[in-house]
C-alpha cells in the first residue's frame, strides 16, 4: 500500500532490530511461543515490514522467505543485512498474489500485525493455505483484537467515583460489519500520517480460515508484560482487556 511505502523509513526506525514496545513487550512474546522451535523449518513472513522477525527466526536456524507489498520496506529490511548472511529471500508482492511461490513450500507462515492491514485478506489466507505443506503446516498470526480494537469505533472509558478506585472500561461499536479506516500514526510531534486498516469481526476470521482448510488450534490474547506496564503510559486497561489476538491454524 502506498501509505506503508510512505511510512517505511519511520517504521524501520520504530521497530529496529527487536520491535517497538508494543511488539517487544506485548505481542511478540506470545507470537514467538506459538511459532516455537523453527530450526531447519521453511518459514514465510507475510507482511514482513522491516523484517526484524524474519531475521530473528533466520538466526534461530529457519530458512526464511519474507514478503511485503511495500518495496521500500523490503529495501530497508535488506539493508539490515547487506551481505544477506542470513540468506533470507525477499519478495516484493501483495500477500494475495504469491504466484512465484510453489504449492506446499512452507512448514510455517506467520503474519505479525499485518493481516488486518491487507485489503484482500481472504485472498491472502487462500495463498497461505496453498503455500503451506499439508498434514500439519501452520499459520500463526497476530491481529488487532476484532472484539476490542476496531480503530476509532473503540476506546478506553475511565470512570472516577468518589472514594472508589478508578475503573477502566473498553467501549466498542460498529463491530459486526467489516469496514476500512485510516489509522493515524504520530511520526513527529505535530505530524500524523495514515495507513489503511480493515476491521473484520472474529467470526469472519474463523470462517475464512476454515473455508481454506485451516483449523484453528490455538487462540491467545496477549497480556501486558511488566516492561509494557512500566513503560506504556496509562496501560492499566490492558490488564483486564486484550487489544490483540494471536492464533495458530493448521492445514490438515
Ligand atoms: C503493521 S506493519 C507489520 C510489519 C511487521 N510484520 C512487523 O511486525 O513489524 C504491516 C505490514 O503489512 C504490509 N502490507 C500491507 N498490505 C499488504 C499486502 N496486501 N501484501 C503484503 N504486505 C502488506 C505493510 O507494507 C506493512 O509492512
Amino acid at each position: 500500500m502506498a501509505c506503508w511505502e510512505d511510512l517505511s523509513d519511520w517504521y524501520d526506525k520504530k521497530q529496529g532490530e527487536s520491535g517497538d514496545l508494543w511488539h517487544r513487550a506485548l505481542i511478540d512474546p506470545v507470537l514467538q511461543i506459538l511459532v516455537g522451535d523453527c530450526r531447519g523449518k521453511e518459514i514465510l513472513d507475510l507482511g514482513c515490514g522491516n523484517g526484524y522477525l524474519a531475521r530473528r527466526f533466520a538466526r534461530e536456524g529457519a530458512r526464511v522467505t519474507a514478503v511485503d507489498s511495500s518495496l521500500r520496506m523490503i529495501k530497508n529490511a535488506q539493508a539490515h543485512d547487506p551481505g544477506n548472511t542470513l540468506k533470507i529471500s525477499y519478495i516484493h508482492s501483495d500477500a494475495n498474489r504469491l504466484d512465484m511461490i510453489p504449492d506446499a513450500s512452507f512448514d510455517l507462515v506467520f503474519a505479525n500485525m499485518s493481516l488486518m492491514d491487507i485489503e484482500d485478506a481472504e485472498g491472502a489466507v487462500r495463498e497461505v493455505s496453498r503455500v503451506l505443506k499439508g498434514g500439519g503446516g501452520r499459520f500463526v498470526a497476530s491481529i488487532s483484537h476484532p472484539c476490542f480494537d476496531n480503530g476509532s469505533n473503540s476506546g478506553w472509558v475511565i470512570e472516577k467515583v468518589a472514594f472508589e478506585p478508578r475503573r477502566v472500561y473498553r467501549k466498542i461499536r460498529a463491530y459486526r460489519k467489516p469496514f476500512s479506516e485510516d489509522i493515524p500514526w504520530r511520526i513527529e510531534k505535530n505530524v500524523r500520517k495514515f495507513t489503511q486498516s480493515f476491521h473484520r469481526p472474529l467470526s469472519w476470521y474463523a470462517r475464512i480460515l476454515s473455508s481454506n482448510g485451516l483449523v484453528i488450534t490455538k487462540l491467545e490474547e496477549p497480556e501486558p508484560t511488566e516492561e509494557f506496564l512500566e513503560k506504556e503510559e496509562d496501560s492499566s486497561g490492558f490488564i483486564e482487556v486484550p487489544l490483540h489476538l494471536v492464533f495458530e491454524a493448521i492445514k490438515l
Side-chain angles (χ1 to χ4, degrees):
M1 301 236 35
C3 45
W4 277 113
E5 186 73 8
D6 288 350
L7 278 172
S8 57
D9 291 357
W10 168 80
Y11 194 75
D12 180 26
K13 284 199 195 82
K14 181 173 153 65
Q15 298 302 349
E17 229 14 52
S18 51
D20 65 6
L21 181 66
W22 283 51
H23 282 227
R24 185 179 71 245
L26 185 61
I27 305 160
D28 295 355
V30 178
L31 181 100
Q32 180 102 32
I33 289 170
L34 264 55
V35 166
D37 183 358
C38 56
R39 268 172 303 174
K41 302 232 167 84
E42 292 286 347
I43 290 189
L44 175 66
D45 180 350
L46 202 67
C48 64
N50 88 336
Y52 75 95
L53 283 178
R55 289 188 292 284
R56 181 180 305 171
F57 295 134
R59 277 189 210 101
E60 289 177 11
R63 284 185 297 278
V64 182
T65 302
V67 168
D68 204 285
S69 57
S70 156
L71 185 58
R72 183 104 195 134
M73 283 288 187
I74 296 280
K75 288 197 183 303
N76 284 337
Q78 286 171 320
H80 282 266
D81 179 18
N84 199 12
T85 57
L86 295 168
K87 300 190 170 30
I88 297 173
S89 305
Y90 287 99
I91 300 177
H92 173 225
S93 177
D94 264 333
N96 56 322
R97 287 214 320 270
L98 302 178
D99 318 343
M100 66 301 285
I101 301 178
D103 296 358
S105 296
F106 296 103
D107 303 296
L108 173 88
V109 177
F110 76 93
N112 197 33
M113 299 306 289
S114 54
L115 211 47
M116 70 280 164
D117 288 355
I118 295 174
E119 185 165 7
D120 181 8
E122 184 170 353
V125 170
R126 196 180 313 121
E127 283 295 72
V128 167
S129 178
R130 183 183 67 75
V131 301
L132 270 179
K133 295 177 184 170
R138 296 183 303 128
F139 179 37
V140 172
S142 64
I143 53 174
S144 296
H145 202 310
C147 307
F148 301 117
D149 185 5
N150 67 357
S152 65
N153 285 305
S154 55
W156 299 110
V157 178
I158 297 172
E159 184 184 74
K160 289 180 186 158
V161 179
F163 309 112
E164 294 287 335
R166 76 180 200 155
R167 290 180 178 175
V168 182
Y169 296 82
R170 188 77 187 171
K171 63 169 188 175
I172 180 150
R173 62 187 286 281
Y175 168 75
R176 284 194 185 279
K177 287 197 181 145
F179 64 87
S180 74
E181 187 176 33
D182 290 341
I183 303 293
W185 300 88
R186 195 169 64 176
I187 63 162
E188 281 170 45
K189 200 161 176 249
N190 293 316
V191 183
R192 281 182 183 193
K193 287 202 173 182
F194 296 84
T195 58
Q196 203 179 13
S197 197
F198 299 85
H199 165 75
R200 293 124 183 165
L202 189 58
S203 52
W204 184 93
Y205 284 96
R207 238 181 342 256
I208 293 310
L209 290 166
S210 84
S211 64
N212 283 286
L214 296 163
V215 178
I216 299 171
T217 40
K218 290 180 185 157
L219 200 66
E220 299 291 340
E221 296 170 311
E223 288 185 31
T225 57
E226 300 221 333
E227 184 193 0
F228 187 81
L229 292 174
E230 203 180 292
K231 295 184 180 163
E232 176 67 19
E233 213 179 298
D234 218 354
S235 57
S236 59
F238 288 76
I239 295 170
E240 294 186 14
V241 183
L243 295 198
H244 304 90
L245 191 67
V246 187
F247 64 80
E248 175 196 78
I250 291 192
K251 185 174 175 191
L252 296 178

